[in-house]
């Protein structure tokens, strides 16, 4: 079996590459990634030593190069992680989000149609459902919750989801879609809440909490997401959407305080800053469908996952220090100075 993974030099894509190489040692794993600011070859250092792994530095919007890869490699399954993924960046500059997340998805599916495929899987997000109110803890996102997006990022992901389902209905492309909640774990780019707070706390820098920090996210350890996708591409029904989440809702402020505690840093580092525009209040996934149909359940509890994650950032300082020493400084100044 040949599995083509796009966005495999990013956070979840790289974790998926390592998961698949270990779980299916006889599979060939092809990675297509154009290495944006979020893609990092050092993340794939170990994978590159494996003869079952191949890397292509290609943009998913580059139709000619994508078709060439399909013509030469004939992948059986495509898992599309490649995307612009950061909400704050989408608020500053929406265009690249529409280009990569929607048009790139179209190119990947056109290649699947042209060359034939057993399964095209679209990695989507719970953000396509919009948000839930804080005073209704009884409400959860199910697969039939209407699409109701808030940011250019989530709108671009929702556009892609609709296109994927349309390719199934119109052309019979064998697709599936998963919508997962917030992931955390190794190789998470330090622009996102958890790795940013770990890196700043370790450097005794202020911890910028948007608004009051009462927004709730439903956190899932990245390996549990990878397991869910592996199940869906092998056993999930074609044309279906599966929500992925572990009933682990936490307020941002509580996550940041927990990170301070784990690292022995004072909570006085916490600095409340201007809120994100259009900030979603609460995400919460109902994972009943994937549990009932595929037997998936998350395995890593948050208390253990966050410890493992902090340990990883302590043991892999070079990985994130190299990232935050470059262009990231300009990004950080633009987003956080005078906020
Ligand atoms: P990431 O930003 O860490 O990685 C994205 C990767 O895609 C990078 O390696 C980047 O170089 C690559 N990429 C971007 N544009 C590309 C293009 N045009 N062509 C080829 N490669 C390109 O993202 P992530 O957090 O790992 O998210 C992966 C996917 O999972 C995304 O589709 C995202 O919407 C989805 N998702 C993420 C989360 C989360 O909590 N991070 C949760 C649910 C769903
Ligand atoms: O729910 C899935 C989504 O989770 C994915 O689709 C996205 O790709 C991924 O980036 C993530 O989106 P969020 O916007 O929820 O994640 P982020 O880490 O950017 O922010 C988490 C919460 O923390 C959010 O309420 C904003 C807040 N925050 C974030 C940053 C970076 C802060 O308070 N301060 C910060 O500096």
């Amino acid at each position: 079996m040949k599995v083509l993974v796009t966005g495999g030099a990013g956070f979840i894509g790289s974790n998926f590459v390592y998961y698949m190489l270990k779980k299916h040692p006889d599979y060939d794993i092809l990675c297509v990634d154009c290495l944006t600011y979020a893609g990092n070859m050092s993340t794939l250092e170990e994978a590159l030593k494996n003869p079952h792994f191949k890397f292509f530095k290609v943009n998913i919007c580059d139709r000619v190069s994508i078709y060439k890869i399909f013509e030469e490699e004939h992948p059986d399954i495509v898992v599309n992680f490649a995307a612009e993924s950061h909400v704050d960046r989408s608020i500053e500059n929406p265009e690249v989000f529409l280009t990569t997340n929607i048009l790139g998805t179209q190119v990947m599916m056109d290649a699947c149609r042209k060359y034939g495929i057993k399964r095209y899987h679209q990695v989507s997000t719970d953000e396509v459902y919009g948000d839930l109110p804080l005073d209704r803890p009884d409400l959860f996102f199910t697969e039939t919750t209407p699409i109701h997006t808030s940011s250019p990022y989530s709108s671009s992901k929702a556009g892609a989801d609709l296109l994927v389902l349309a390719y199934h209905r119109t052309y019979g492309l064998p697709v599936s879609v998963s919508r997962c909640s917030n992931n955390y774990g190794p190789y998470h780019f330090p622009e996102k809440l958890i790795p940013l707070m770990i890196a700043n706390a370790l450097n005794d820098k202020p911890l910028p909490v948007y608004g009051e920090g009462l927004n709730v996210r439903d956190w899932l350890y990245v390996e549990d997401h990878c397991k869910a996708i592996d199940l869906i591409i092998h056993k999930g029904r074609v044309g279906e959407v599966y929500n992925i989440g572990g009933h682990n809702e936490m307020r941002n402020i509580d996550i940041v305080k927990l990170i301070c505690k784990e690292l022995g840093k004072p909570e006085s580092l916490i600095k409340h800053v201007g809120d994100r525009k259009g900030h979603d209040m609460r995400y919460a996934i109902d994972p009943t469908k994937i549990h009932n149909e595929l037997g998936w359940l998350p395995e890593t509890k948050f208390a253990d996952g966050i410890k493992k994650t902090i340990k990883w950032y302590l043991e892999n300082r070079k990985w994130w220090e190299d990232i935050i020493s470059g262009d990231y400084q300009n990004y950080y100044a633009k987003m956080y100075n005078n906020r």
Side-chain angles (χ1 to χ4, degrees):
M1 193 75 91
K2 252 188 197 176
V3 182
L4 189 158
V5 176
T6 71
F11 166 43
I12 311 176
S14 61
N15 276 281
F16 186 72
V17 164
Y18 285 115
Y19 180 82
M20 293 298 279
L21 287 172
K22 198 166 166 201
K23 175 87 191 293
H24 306 285
D26 51 330
Y27 281 21
D28 289 319
I29 308 295
L30 314 173
C31 172
V32 170
D33 196 304
C34 71
L35 302 178
T36 67
Y37 78 91
N40 197 332
M41 277 318 276
S42 73
T43 300
L44 292 173
E45 223 170 77
E46 282 306 308
L48 286 162
K49 294 178 190 158
N50 189 319
H52 285 282
F53 179 76
K54 242 188 202 174
F55 179 80
F56 300 86
K57 185 176 180 310
V58 166
N59 192 313
I60 59 165
C61 302
D62 175 355
R63 192 174 285 275
V64 173
S65 303
I66 292 292
Y67 282 11
K68 187 162 174 276
I69 294 171
F70 273 72
E71 208 166 298
E72 288 171 0
E73 300 286 347
H74 303 288
D76 301 291
I77 298 175
V78 169
V79 184
N80 186 25
F81 290 92
E84 288 293 333
S85 68
H86 192 34
V87 173
D88 292 326
R89 288 184 193 256
S90 83
I91 295 167
E92 293 300 307
N93 176 21
E95 191 158 333
V96 67
F97 283 74
L98 305 189
T99 308
T100 289
N101 299 2
I102 302 177
L103 298 181
T105 296
Q106 183 210 358
V107 169
M108 292 308 300
M109 288 193 299
D110 284 345
C112 291
R113 280 185 67 210
K114 186 170 161 74
Y115 295 99
I117 198 86
K118 291 194 177 76
R119 176 69 65 96
Y120 172 88
H121 183 74
Q122 178 72 3
V123 180
S124 185
T125 167
D126 59 358
E127 295 198 17
V128 301
Y129 299 122
D131 63 352
L132 297 164
L134 290 182
D135 61 356
R136 289 293 307 274
D138 55 313
L139 296 180
F140 297 92
F141 298 136
T142 71
E143 289 79 0
T144 55
T145 300
I147 301 286
H148 187 72
T149 56
S150 311
S151 70
Y153 162 70
S154 54
S155 304
S156 68
K157 292 297 290 184
D161 281 19
L162 296 176
L163 197 62
V164 171
L165 296 172
Y167 267 54
H168 172 60
R169 172 147 177 175
T170 306
Y171 305 118
L173 193 71
V175 307
S176 45
V177 176
S178 55
R179 295 180 179 148
C180 191
S181 59
N182 287 62
N183 286 212
Y184 68 101
Y187 301 116
H188 203 179
F189 195 86
E191 66 187 346
K192 308 282 169 57
L193 180 76
I194 289 181
L196 184 145
M197 296 300 167
I198 296 173
N200 280 17
L202 286 171
N203 287 330
D204 298 305
K205 282 182 62 181
L207 307 177
V209 170
Y210 298 166
E212 290 183 77
L214 302 180
N215 307 64
V216 169
R217 297 291 182 267
D218 183 357
W219 294 95
L220 184 73
Y221 193 63
V222 63
E223 194 177 50
D224 280 322
H225 186 186
C226 296
K227 278 181 196 160
I229 295 174
D230 182 36
L231 274 174
I232 296 169
I233 59 179
H234 289 100
K235 296 187 182 145
R237 284 183 295 142
V238 161
E240 290 292 318
V241 174
Y242 292 91
N243 282 356
I244 308 171
H247 283 305
N248 181 56
E249 292 178 49
M250 302 218 18
R251 300 188 313 178
N252 296 339
I253 189 71
D254 296 330
I255 299 246
V256 179
K257 284 183 179 168
L258 181 63
I259 290 171
C260 288
K261 189 167 163 236
E262 291 288 335
L263 290 173
K265 298 289 180 180
E267 287 183 9
S268 56
L269 282 176
I270 295 173
K271 185 181 169 217
H272 289 272
V273 300
D275 211 348
R276 176 183 277 175
K277 291 189 182 95
H279 200 170
D280 281 337
M281 280 317 299
R282 171 178 169 246
Y283 302 147
I285 283 278
D286 175 355
T288 306
K289 179 173 172 179
I290 189 166
H291 175 60
N292 286 350
E293 283 191 21
L294 305 178
W296 178 86
L297 274 178
E299 284 170 26
T300 301
K301 292 198 172 58
F302 190 76
D304 302 329
I306 194 72
K307 281 196 171 72
K308 269 204 270 187
T309 303
I310 290 175
K311 186 164 178 277
W312 188 88
Y313 279 84
L314 284 167
E315 287 171 356
N316 292 274
R317 271 190 102 112
K318 185 165 165 29
W319 181 87
W320 57 268
E321 277 177 348
D322 281 354
I323 289 172
I324 65 173
S325 67
D327 223 20
Y328 179 87
Q329 290 297 331
N330 298 328
Y331 164 79
Y332 200 89
K334 192 170 163 216
M335 294 308 260
Y336 293 95
N337 287 0
N338 309 315
R339 184 168 183 149

